[in-house]
């Protein structure tokens, strides 16, 4: 198993460098369990799939403090056959490949329920890509069913789905989308945009 | 066939609204052939697959004027079985599904050659997702072979590949990656980040 994300923060402010550097301490509680590498385009997080979305939540909420319009983008992936297994990327817990889709929707709703609010409202947009499977649209439609019932559903758009609400339940819902759809051992990618404090928010 | 992109511009400046609005006229030459819809997270472009990358290039170069650090992100898609066919999305021209991978690499290199420079240096990061196919990694590796020979190859990273150079050849290369890999009628998505004027550029 190999799981991780390439993440970027875009604070729409002249002081973007200071804002980005000032938010990085939000990753401190995760550093021990992640490999982290930064270049000029994105920061790689490699580590346990269950911890990716909490880490991204804490980073984005920290960078969005004081009302700055700030977007986080992430290319999230697990099970890519082109990447070596990494012992820091534990398999997804309590999952078997024969759990039916309807059961996984119920499990995802239960797991995302009661997520702690952060006080930061966000809008998120995600596209889920289950790769190498013949029935990728079934998994995508199943995931969209889950998102519609999640309590933070925004709307369906071409190529993606949006969520709206407090960053706590929104990132919890995103995490369940990543963990429970597509084969547990298969290759799955998720293209994610999360926006805070947009002056044109709906 | 349905093809298009959800695109977002992130100028890292206090005047981000003025910069975004000031760049939109760069889309004027394309408006007639595209359906364009904007909300607070992204702008949808639906139209001919060959024109998506030139339109994104012109928009990003316009928003990056005067040295502002500006990122464009796009979720690009074609052939999604969940979308209705749209007459404004013409099929990809001169392509048949039986062209071998090696020939497509040669064709892509030839087509991207001699792209007009724009004067704007950019760094790009892309992930290609051929969906619903059994051999998605073959198409991905074929595309990476093409990118390595493109003259604007940056480096291979986990989950993605980077390109560096003038926006002209970089976007031409990205367009060929989108048009020539994966089945011509199949479902293909591309997760794209393009960055200009980063203070930490490599």
């Amino acid at each position: 198993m190999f799981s991780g994300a390439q993440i970027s923060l875009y604070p729409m402010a002249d002081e973007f460098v200071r804002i980005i550097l000032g938010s990085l301490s939000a990753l401190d509680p995760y550093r021990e369990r992640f490999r982290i590498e930064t270049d000029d385009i994105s920061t790689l997080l490699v580590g346990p799939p269950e911890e990716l979305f909490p880490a991204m939540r804490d980073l984005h909420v920290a960078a969005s403090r004081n009302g700055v319009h700030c977007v986080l983008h992430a290319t999230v992936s697990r099970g890519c056959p082109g990447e070596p297994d990494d012992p820091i990327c534990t398999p997804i817990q309590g999952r078997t490949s024969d759990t039916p889709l309807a059961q996984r929707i119920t499990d995802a709703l239960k797991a995302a329920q009661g997520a702690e609010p952060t006080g930061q409202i966000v809008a998120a947009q995600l596209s889920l890509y289950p790769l190498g499977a013949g029935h990728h649209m079934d998994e995508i439609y199943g995931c969209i069913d889950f998102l519609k019932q999640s309590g933070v559903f925004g709307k369906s758009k071409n190529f993606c789905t949006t969520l709206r609400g407090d960053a706590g339940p929104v990132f919890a819902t995103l995490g369940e989308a990543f963990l429970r759809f597509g084969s547990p051992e298969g290759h799955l990618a998720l293209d994610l945009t999360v926006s805070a404090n947009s002056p044109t928010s709906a």
Side-chain angles (χ1 to χ4, degrees), chain A:
Chain A
M1 182 68 155
F2 191 89
S3 56
Q6 292 282 1
I7 62 175
S8 304
L9 281 175
Y10 307 123
M12 258 64 79
D14 292 350
E15 293 215 303
F16 66 93
V17 174
R18 190 190 55 75
I19 294 167
I20 292 171
L21 295 178
S23 69
L24 294 180
S25 62
L27 290 180
D28 288 350
Y30 303 93
R31 283 184 193 278
E32 205 169 84
R33 296 179 304 287
F34 279 103
R35 175 157 65 84
I36 302 181
E37 290 168 15
T38 295
D39 68 16
D40 62 313
I41 311 183
S42 61
T43 289
L44 173 70
L45 297 184
V46 174
E50 280 89 352
E51 302 211 42
L52 287 169
F53 287 83
M56 290 193 282
R57 175 198 63 209
D58 292 353
L59 181 67
H60 185 240
V61 168
S64 304
R65 262 184 227 130
N66 305 319
V68 64
H69 176 29
C70 182
V71 168
L72 173 140
H73 178 265
T75 299
V76 199
S77 174
R78 61 175 173 80
C80 176
E83 310 276 4
D85 277 351
D86 195 308
I88 63 171
C89 307
T90 48
I92 300 171
Q93 307 208 332
R95 293 274 316 276
T96 57
S97 56
D98 54 2
T99 311
L101 193 51
Q103 182 62 47
R104 285 183 278 137
I105 293 172
T106 307
D107 294 346
L109 287 167
K110 197 180 292 177
Q113 225 172 28
E116 198 76 27
T118 64
Q120 176 67 56
I121 300 297
V122 297
Q125 185 159 299
L126 74 149
S127 305
L128 191 79
Y129 304 121
L131 290 147
H135 301 287
H136 74 288
M137 291 307 293
D138 294 345
E139 292 294 320
I140 290 173
Y141 289 136
C143 182
I144 293 172
D145 270 358
F146 156 62
L147 297 174
K148 284 186 172 167
Q149 299 174 57
S150 66
V152 288
F153 177 72
K155 62 177 176 175
S156 293
K157 292 169 64 171
N158 293 109
F159 319 133
C160 55
T161 301
T162 71
L163 304 179
R164 277 177 204 280
D166 187 280
V170 166
F171 276 93
T173 301
L174 291 166
E176 293 303 315
F178 179 68
L179 294 171
R180 299 207 189 248
F181 299 90
S183 149
E185 294 301 314
H187 185 189
L188 183 114
L190 193 153
D191 177 359
L192 171 66
T193 300
V194 188
S195 171
N197 308 318
S198 168
T200 52
S201 66

